[in-house]
Amino acid sequence: MSLAVVLAVIVRPWLWPTALGTLFAMAPRRWWTRKPFLPIPDADVIAWRRATAYGSSSAPMTSHDVVSYLESDGELTLRMVDLDAVITHAHDLG
């Protein structure tokens, strides 16, 4: 991941929760048992994401694309939380 992508997320603190959630979702299982003890996705996962997004596993990720993805993922998460609240409330009424 390029420095430009990291900086694009750093200057948008409202994306931090979504970015961290995405990072942990893409991290290998039991990442804390292997050096460098950080939730860094495997190179194969990153290559697969690039291939599905750009058609090539070697295509560079742009900061615009990463920010757009995180914004849309964050919006989806908020909608799911809202839906969960509606379902819970409806269940409580029933």
Side-chain angles (χ1 to χ4, degrees), residues 45-61:
V45 172
I46 298 297
W48 177 79
R49 296 294 295 174
R50 286 180 176 171
T52 58
Y54 302 107
S56 170
S57 61
S58 61
M61 288 187 282

Side-chain angles (χ1 to χ4, degrees), residues 2-84:
S2 72
L3 181 59
V5 170
V6 173
L7 290 175
V9 174
I10 286 175
V11 300
R12 293 172 174 85
W14 60 91
L15 292 179
W16 295 356
T18 305
L20 287 173
T22 302
L23 179 67
F24 279 96
M26 293 175 59
R29 291 186 178 144
R30 301 182 48 83
W31 57 264
W32 59 89
T33 64
R34 292 177 262 165
K35 288 184 180 180
F37 310 112
L38 297 170
I40 299 171
D42 290 327
D44 291 342
V45 172
I46 298 297
W48 177 79
R49 296 294 295 174
R50 286 180 176 171
T52 58
Y54 302 107
S56 170
S57 61
S58 61
M61 288 187 282
T62 67
S63 55
H64 177 267
D65 289 344
V66 172
V67 167
S68 294
Y69 172 80
L70 292 174
E71 287 174 341
S72 64
D73 191 45
E75 289 173 12
L76 178 62
T77 301
L78 286 175
R79 281 190 227 125
M80 290 174 64
V81 169
D82 290 344
L83 180 61
D84 187 48

